[in-house]
Amino acid sequence: LSMYRFSSDYCEGAHPRILEKLIHTNDEQTAGYGEDRYCRAAAELIRQRCRSRNAAVQFIPGGTLANLTVAAACLRTYQGVLCAHTGHIQTHESGAIEATGHRVIPLPSENGKITAGQIQEALNAYRNDPVREHLVQPKLVYISQSTEVGTVYSLQELEDISAVCRQNGLYLYIDGARLGYALAASDVTLADLARLADIFLIGGTKIGALFGEALVIPNPALQEDFRTIVRQRGGLMAKGRLMGLQFLALFEDGLYFDIAEHANKMAQVIRRACVDAGFGFLSDSPTNQQFPILPNALVSRLSRDFDFSLWQDMGDGTHAVRFCTSWATTFSAVESLAEAIRTGA
């Protein structure tokens, strides 16, 4: 028996229904660069779900590429991005934003989230500095939904962040690489995001697709020339239909939301086992990522049969680890892990 992987939500290939659609249409000839009927149909479905008739939808191969393209589109050379200190652009993208010529400005975060008050304070600090022309100017706010530690911004928190951004002329970008899991665990909808954000990402890679993300751009000021910037950054795929087809499969009958709900339910089985065994958590996550704090001896024993991420050494003989579930995670797999956690075997 091979080791079961809980290390990420993209260990498997793609959901079978996505593969079926790709195979069924494989011999068709279509226009390139996302100008085919499948991309148009997928984009229209997304607009309908977002209740945003005039939003632009751009398919991008990967998340980091999407993030650096957004930064390039939103910022002038002297402007930077505010984000949580745990934000993906700050911790796990090899300086991709900085490589576009822009500074990432991290803010202290609790449970992976930043607040409207912190954003206002950062902007006030910049504006009140007597030599602010020497400083990087905050212009873009980056938040993740769900966050890098599995937590979710509530609708009120998003309303507050959006309001402070609009009051101060800042762009709001929501990185939804794992957006489906957040939507399934909260009262926030796609329509809310389209109303509150200037641009946001609907992730595919981590929610059942082979690859690909959908950038939704409600703000007309960011729509013009966006495809040119995507092309310049290397993100305009010749066979763009491959992404359109996948998002069509994900959104035409609710598969995207079914996948997210399944993965969240599987993660809760793991969470309950940790609670039953008396273990605490690094964050209070309702989504498909769980971060229990386990004794090092148990971590070592679990590592014999399961692959998972070592997240943070707590320095007291325990380690925060990450267990991640996906569309393909089986109940038997999570039950095996749960039993091992409960019994310490």
Side-chain angles (χ1 to χ4, degrees):
L1 258 171
S2 61
M3 178 180 292
Y4 196 91
R5 296 185 179 275
F6 288 99
S7 52
S8 73
D9 36 25
Y10 45 89
C11 290
E12 299 87 7
H15 193 281
R17 275 154 63 183
I18 289 176
L19 293 178
E20 287 170 10
K21 190 171 287 290
L22 291 171
I23 292 169
H24 181 71
T25 59
N26 189 60
D27 292 338
E28 291 185 30
Q29 292 183 319
T30 62
Y33 299 105
E35 302 204 358
D36 59 277
R37 66 188 181 97
Y38 297 116
C39 285
R40 288 196 298 271
E44 183 56 31
L45 271 179
I46 290 170
R47 277 190 286 269
Q48 289 173 12
R49 284 280 189 174
C50 293
R51 298 179 187 173
S52 184
R53 293 179 59 186
N54 298 318
V57 178
Q58 178 64 53
F59 299 108
I60 304 277
T64 297
L65 186 54
N67 292 342
L68 68 88
T69 303
V70 169
C74 291
L75 302 176
R76 294 188 176 185
T77 54
Y78 52 86
Q79 295 173 331
V81 190
L82 293 171
C83 73
H85 81 279
T86 53
H88 207 264
I89 59 171
Q90 165 71 7
T91 60
H92 284 104
E93 292 189 348
S94 305
I97 302 301
E98 288 86 348
T100 68
H102 301 290
R103 176 83 63 80
V104 173
I105 308 167
L107 301 176
S109 61
E110 185 174 346
N111 271 333
K113 299 193 287 186
I114 56 175
T115 67
Q118 285 181 287
I119 295 166
Q120 187 65 63
E121 287 173 12
L123 197 59
N124 290 345
Y126 168 79
R127 288 175 173 168
N128 294 332
D129 195 300
V131 289
R132 63 178 177 272
E133 66 272 16
H134 295 223
L135 306 177
V136 174
Q137 180 189 94
K139 183 63 177 179
L140 175 63
V141 173
Y142 168 101
I143 62 174
S144 302
Q145 180 78 333
S146 58
T147 72
E148 288 69 24
V149 291
T151 52
V152 175
Y153 284 90
S154 69
L155 181 56
Q156 187 60 60
E157 288 171 324
L158 293 176
E159 295 267 10
D160 293 344
I161 288 172
S162 178
V164 80
C165 287
R166 288 177 177 168
Q167 289 161 9
N168 290 283
L170 304 178
Y171 291 121
L172 175 59
Y173 170 48
I174 300 175
D175 179 351
R178 292 187 169 95
L179 181 58
Y181 306 120
L183 295 174
S186 73
D187 59 348
V188 178
T189 67
L190 286 171
D192 290 324
L193 299 183
R195 177 173 56 88
L196 297 172
D198 295 287
I199 183 167
F200 66 96
L201 186 77
I202 301 176
T205 301
K206 296 175 180 175
I207 311 187
L210 278 175
F211 63 90
E213 331 294 326
L215 274 173
V216 183
I217 315 171
N219 187 339
L222 296 177
Q223 295 176 10
E224 187 176 359
D225 300 328
F226 193 86
R227 275 173 60 85
T228 303
I229 299 168
V230 173
R231 176 62 164 169
Q232 185 186 64
R233 299 293 169 180
L236 202 61
M237 282 187 66
K239 295 185 181 181
R241 79 181 200 181
L242 298 178
M243 291 182 288
L245 283 160
Q246 292 183 82
F247 274 90
L248 195 57
L250 286 169
F251 277 89
E252 63 187 352
D253 58 4
L255 177 61
Y256 187 78
F257 304 96
D258 293 343
I259 285 172
E261 186 174 349
H262 168 78
N264 284 359
K265 285 181 178 178
M266 294 298 96
Q268 288 305 308
V269 175
I270 300 170
R271 181 178 184 83
R272 284 193 295 273
C274 294
V275 171
D276 291 346
F279 300 128
F281 294 83
L282 187 66
S283 63
D284 185 18
S285 168
T287 62
N288 74 312
Q289 300 182 89
Q290 295 297 317
F291 297 83
I293 300 171
L294 307 178
N296 289 340
L298 178 57
V299 170
S300 180
R301 287 196 293 275
L302 292 175
S303 297
R304 293 198 294 261
D305 299 310
F306 305 98
D307 181 47
F308 51 91
S309 301
L310 300 178
W311 201 259
Q312 182 179 332
D313 188 342
M314 306 306 289
D316 60 355
T318 64
H319 216 108
V321 304
R322 182 181 76 165
F323 297 116
C324 211
T325 56
S326 76
W327 65 269
T329 303
T330 63
F331 184 71
S332 61
V334 295
E335 273 293 281
S336 294
L337 174 60
E339 181 65 17
I341 291 170
R342 288 192 184 98
T343 62

